[in-house]
Amino acid sequence: MYNQGAVEGAANIESGSRVFVYEVVGLRQSEETDQTDYPIRKSGSVFIRVPYNRMNQEMRRITRLGGKIVSIHPITVLEPVNGKTAVETTNSEVSELVTPVSANSEVSKLVTPVNADSEENGKATPVNANSEVKGFAKSPAKDKKGNTMTQGKAKHADVPVNTYRPNAPFIGKCISNEPLVKEGGIGIVQHLKFDLSTGNLKYIEGQSIGIIPPGVDKNGKPEKLRLYSIASTRHGDDVDDKTISLCVRQLEYKHPESGETIYGVCSTYLTQLKPGDDVKITGPVGKEMLLPEDPEANVIMLATGTGIAPMRAYLWRMFKDNERAANPEYQFKGFSWLLFGVPTTPNVLYKEELEEMQQKYPDNFRLTYAISREQKNPEGGRMYIQDRVAEHADELWQLIKKEKTHTYICGLRGMEDGIDAALTAAAAKEGVTWSSYQKDLKKAHRWHVETY
């Protein structure tokens, strides 16, 4: 799972100006990775709105930040972008962006790309920048409207960051590699557990680690790392502080021109690991998806596919008996609600765990599935997570309004617009403009998003 968000400017533009939307990949990810001098392979896009008279200046700035422009779309000054009036981007800050993938921002070759190998948190997907592990919902068209659902940064002290770097990674060992998709399901998704006992890799829930696959890329250079969201709590699946776990789906898709089947490099490597195999690990990184420290907080979780990874870590911390015993200072007393989208019932990852926690803590945990190929939405189409959010929009809106509520969204890009639309309608019933309210949630560090 990757941490990406849309970039929105703060400056105003005069009525009548021509405005363009740049779709950009490869920008820096966060304050931590801003300081690094190594490349991280990333998927996903940010959308930057630029007035005509600043186009060249913005192109140069994007290049300096390591970005690559993959498409440009004209809009008018008053044309709303995802419910917002287009505004000019400023030269000030590009927060929560990723380390350079490419410094080549050639505008002469702009096309809307097919992402060939955007290794998901699997962060990968053929058309979507991350349909690898999260690619269980319908692959959406590229978002040309921008994205209101950028990440908000949580306030946490003493969060470990970049203990291990690509030039000196930690060498862990694969302890186990277990399938998560049941018979009759779609794709290959594995739960991997690695031994950390010989190192000093500490992490907390909501962070990610980097994996460096062996071998060289198509240019003959060593493979770059891919980031994967951690699926275990800080104590690990064995609650002994000696392991870390990932949830990885193998990327597989047809090349749009040749029709050849393409497999993700890192996801294939990971899903085929054997117990005892060595793995190069970097990190941890990330502060955007961290849980609130308040055990009485409310937590809304919206996930698709392997977007369940950080949610599993949250839920273990909240409800697993061994975890609760290991964390006497954190005894969850709030309310959590997971809305989880998958294509088929056999693709419900960690199904037994989730349903056991719901049965044991019915007053504190609510579980709602959106099973796209088995359930129908009110219009008779497939039931995606956006449809479930719309179905429960009024309840979710009432919960979101509570000061102690945090919302976490993780999975395939494309779910955001439907979520926005549903909450826009619910908020409008009380005369509230959702897009403005959402900005306040982000400022309060109560709105957290990783989509690809």
Side-chain angles (χ1 to χ4, degrees):
M1 287 163 296
Y2 240 4
N3 310 334
Q4 272 139 252
V7 180
E8 299 186 12
N12 294 322
I13 54 176
E14 296 179 0
S15 177
S17 298
R18 295 176 62 191
V19 181
F20 297 80
V21 174
Y22 289 3
E23 182 181 3
V24 181
V25 297
L27 292 173
R28 291 195 295 269
Q29 174 185 351
S30 63
E31 293 177 358
E32 305 95 75
T33 53
D34 268 359
Q35 308 305 314
T36 64
D37 57 359
Y38 52 86
I40 295 179
R41 185 179 185 130
K42 292 289 294 184
S43 60
S45 303
V46 294
F47 297 84
I48 305 177
R49 289 168 287 194
V50 187
Y52 177 79
N53 60 1
R54 287 176 54 89
M55 291 181 72
N56 289 335
Q57 181 179 353
E58 191 65 11
M59 289 176 190
R60 290 193 294 270
R61 185 176 71 90
I62 290 167
T63 300
R64 287 198 305 272
L65 293 175
K68 180 179 179 180
I69 302 173
V70 294
S71 66
I72 296 178
H73 302 284
I75 59 175
T76 66
V77 63
L78 296 180
E79 180 180 351
V81 175
N82 205 13
K84 299 181 179 181
T85 300
V87 295
E88 174 184 350
T89 58
T90 67
N91 240 352
S92 54
E93 50 193 28
V94 180
S95 62
E96 307 184 26
L97 304 176
V98 300
T99 3
V101 175
S102 170
N104 174 19
S105 68
E106 296 181 39
V107 183
S108 60
K109 301 179 181 178
L110 290 177
V111 292
T112 301
V114 173
N115 242 334
D117 186 33
S118 52
E119 295 286 340
E120 172 205 38
N121 164 328
K123 323 210 180 275
T125 298
V127 178
N128 232 315
N130 183 4
S131 67
E132 169 156 20
V133 174
K134 332 266 191 236
F136 291 102
K138 177 175 63 177
S139 293
K142 282 289 185 178
D143 181 0
K144 298 178 182 178
K145 300 179 181 178
N147 180 1
T148 64
M149 306 183 75
T150 54
Q151 284 186 331
K153 292 186 177 180
K155 294 180 178 178
H156 284 73
D158 302 321
V159 176
V161 174
N162 285 327
T163 307
Y164 292 92
R165 296 176 179 272
N167 58 358
F170 170 72
I171 308 300
K173 283 193 180 295
C174 178
I175 297 174
S176 60
N177 188 354
E178 302 294 334
L180 290 173
V181 177
K182 301 295 191 296
E183 183 178 356
I186 299 169
I188 296 173
V189 185
Q190 300 289 116
H191 181 78
L192 296 107
K193 183 165 66 173
F194 303 118
D195 182 8
L196 303 181
S197 61
T198 60
N200 189 38
L201 181 60
K202 305 298 181 184
Y203 61 93
I204 63 175
E205 301 77 19
Q207 290 193 290
S208 300
I209 57 171
I211 300 292
I212 305 176
V216 296
D217 62 20
K218 62 182 179 181
N219 298 315
K221 297 182 178 180
E223 288 286 353
K224 298 178 178 66
L225 69 85
R226 279 75 159 172
L227 289 177
Y228 291 82
S229 294
I230 299 168
S232 53
T233 71
R234 66 192 70 183
H235 302 300
D237 287 352
D238 299 329
V239 197
D240 60 3
D241 297 333
K242 295 180 180 179
T243 69
I244 191 170
S245 298
L246 300 180
C247 174
V248 180
R249 182 187 186 203
Q250 183 186 32
L251 169 64
E252 177 182 348
Y253 67 96
K254 296 292 185 182
H255 190 281
E257 296 179 358
S258 68
E260 176 188 5
T261 299
I262 306 295
Y263 297 94
V265 173
C266 196
S267 64
T268 299
Y269 160 68
L270 286 173
T271 55
Q272 295 179 1
L273 280 176
K274 301 291 190 298
D277 287 348
D278 288 343
V279 181
K280 293 181 180 179
I281 300 174
T282 69
V285 296
K287 296 183 180 180
E288 295 82 9
M289 292 287 285
L290 307 185
L291 272 179
E293 297 172 347
D294 183 359
E296 296 184 355
N298 301 310
V299 180
I300 298 171
M301 296 164 282
L302 310 175
T304 60
T306 54
I308 193 66
M311 315 306 185
R312 177 183 187 260
Y314 305 157
L315 291 169
W316 268 52
R317 183 164 173 80
M318 294 173 189
F319 300 122
K320 276 287 185 177
D321 290 342
N322 289 348
E323 270 292 328
R324 291 172 68 89
N327 299 294
E329 78 290 351
Y330 180 86
Q331 299 294 300
F332 184 72
K333 300 180 181 67
F335 175 73
S336 64
W337 187 355
L338 171 64
L339 290 87
F340 187 21
V342 295
T344 69
T345 297
N347 286 101
V348 179
L349 310 179
Y350 307 109
K351 186 174 186 290
E352 292 78 12
E353 289 183 11
L354 297 174
E355 294 179 0
E356 178 184 351
M357 286 186 277
Q358 183 190 37
Q359 291 171 5
K360 190 165 185 176
Y361 294 92
D363 296 331
N364 301 94
F365 179 41
R366 181 173 176 180
L367 176 62
T368 304
Y369 295 134
I371 304 178
S372 63
R373 302 195 183 190
E374 299 174 8
Q375 298 171 339
K376 300 295 184 183
N377 62 27
E379 288 73 42
R382 289 182 174 181
M383 174 65 78
Y384 294 110
I385 192 169
Q386 304 94 304
D387 302 305
R388 283 291 184 222
V389 172
E391 178 182 337
H392 299 288
D394 291 339
E395 289 178 273
L396 289 167
W397 166 241
Q398 295 305 318
L399 188 58
I400 287 170
K401 288 193 300 179
K402 295 183 178 181
E403 187 175 347
K404 289 191 174 185
T405 298
H406 288 247
T407 301
Y408 296 83
I409 300 173
C410 192
L412 189 64
R413 184 184 292 274
M415 55 196 287
E416 303 100 318
D417 280 351
I419 292 170
D420 267 345
L423 294 175
T424 295
K429 294 177 182 178
E430 299 179 9
V432 176
T433 301
W434 168 247
S435 58
S436 298
Y437 192 88
Q438 188 187 59
K439 289 180 181 178
D440 294 334
L441 293 176
K442 295 174 189 175
K443 291 177 182 177
H445 312 290
R446 291 172 48 205
W447 192 264
H448 317 268
V449 179
E450 285 186 3
T451 59
Y452 322 99

